[in-house]
Amino acid sequence: SQQGEEDPQALSIQEGENATMNCSYKTSINNLQWYRQNSGRGLVHLILIRSNEREKHSGRLRVTLDTSKKSSSLLITASRAADTASYFCATDWNGGFKTIFGAGTRLFVKA
Amino acid sequence: NAGVMQNPRHLVRRRGQEARLRCSPMKGHSHVYWYRQLPEEGLKFMVYLQKENIIDESGMPKERFSAEFPKEGPSILRIQQVVRGDSAAYFCASSPAAGRGDSPLHFGNGTRLTVT
């Protein structure tokens, strides 16, 4: 089964609102990454947070990591229509070399 | 500075034919990953390769699927005797180092395989 599971599966918000997506994983990890995928395109890396970090910021993105709960959240502040995409969390599997992705959250930002 | 290049972008094959998907990693990257994505789903790990070596193929079906990353040239994902269930988008990603998940992956735009 997949390592990461995102929720919600889909999220629809108005432009200007904040969007929060959550990710849970199963095994120990070295770090966790978030990616974005626009329809019909490949994934684009957004942010990486290491297992010894609790929070990280990048522009309008804020990521938190709680290793005791094996969970992470991605917050997009002041969303824009252009943020409409699928968002995936990804982790290494038991500290191994492969990167495993969750099923993703589909975000719709209405203008 | 070209990113990860995948070709073809779209591939149509009849049942029983072979599909060959190509991936040229970013310049300087020697680690390649292949993933499969069904519509409205996440990416399923298939295989991780370094130059001339398969490091982890735990996500590859045991039959009909093979992958290589030769010393020269692109990585190839080969599907023999395709069936309708092989229809999916296949993504290649590369990274500069063997990370324990700590090297961000750079993705191509995928090959969309349709089996008729």
Side-chain angles (χ1 to χ4, degrees):
Chain A
S1 61
Q2 287 294 91
Q3 163 77 311
E5 296 292 337
E6 289 93 335
D7 86 275
Q9 288 188 322
L11 180 61
S12 181
I13 60 175
Q14 291 291 137
E15 207 168 29
E17 293 180 339
N18 295 342
T20 300
M21 290 160 268
N22 303 295
C23 167
S24 60
Y25 56 91
K26 297 175 182 173
T27 71
S28 62
I29 60 171
N30 289 303
N31 56 65
L32 185 142
Q33 305 177 50
W34 284 91
Y35 288 79
R36 164 196 169 123
Q37 183 181 34
N38 287 87
S39 181
R41 305 297 295 270
L43 277 70
V44 175
H45 180 260
L46 294 176
I47 196 166
L48 180 152
I49 185 166
R50 300 195 185 283
S51 58
N52 60 356
E53 297 176 309
R54 291 297 166 258
E55 189 171 311
K56 201 161 183 181
H57 298 255
S58 176
R60 293 185 296 113
L61 305 181
R62 173 177 168 256
V63 168
T64 62
L65 179 63
D66 186 335
T67 53
S68 67
K69 295 180 180 177
K70 291 188 168 59
S71 68
S72 173
S73 67
L74 170 67
L75 168 69
I76 303 174
T77 60
S79 63
R80 304 166 182 167
D83 293 329
T84 294
S86 292
Y87 292 83
F88 297 90
C89 69
T91 65
D92 52 295
W93 179 273
N94 260 333
F97 291 103
K98 62 190 182 188
T99 300
I100 303 295
F101 288 82
T105 291
R106 283 143 196 83
L107 174 66
F108 302 92
V109 181
K110 294 176 280 190
Chain B
N1 187 16
V4 177
M5 304 300 292
Q6 288 188 251
N7 67 82
R9 193 85 164 84
H10 299 275
L11 181 61
V12 179
R13 285 286 178 266
R14 290 198 182 95
R15 278 180 297 171
Q17 290 185 320
E18 178 180 289
R20 289 172 69 87
L21 288 62
R22 295 175 185 77
C23 169
S24 296
M26 281 186 72
K27 189 176 181 180
H29 288 192
S30 58
H31 302 265
V32 166
Y33 299 75
W34 284 95
Y35 291 85
R36 178 162 65 178
Q37 185 178 38
L38 294 172
E40 306 301 318
E41 293 190 9
L43 278 72
K44 296 281 200 291
F45 170 81
M46 297 182 75
V47 62
Y48 163 44
L49 310 102
Q50 296 177 20
K51 282 284 187 181
E52 300 185 275
N53 287 305
I54 296 174
I55 306 302
D56 187 331
E57 56 181 348
S58 57
M60 287 268 278
K62 292 287 184 279
E63 297 178 353
R64 302 189 298 108
F65 284 72
S66 63
E68 63 176 7
F69 188 19
K71 187 177 181 181
E72 301 291 338
S75 175
I76 305 286
L77 179 66
R78 183 181 177 207
I79 311 173
Q80 296 177 290
Q81 299 175 323
V82 296
V83 301
R84 287 216 172 107
D86 297 332
S87 295
Y90 292 83
F91 287 94
C92 169
S94 71
S95 67
R100 293 188 180 275
D102 59 4
S103 291
L105 300 182
H106 299 260
F107 280 84
N109 281 325
T111 292
R112 276 143 192 84
L113 172 65
T114 301
V115 180
T116 61

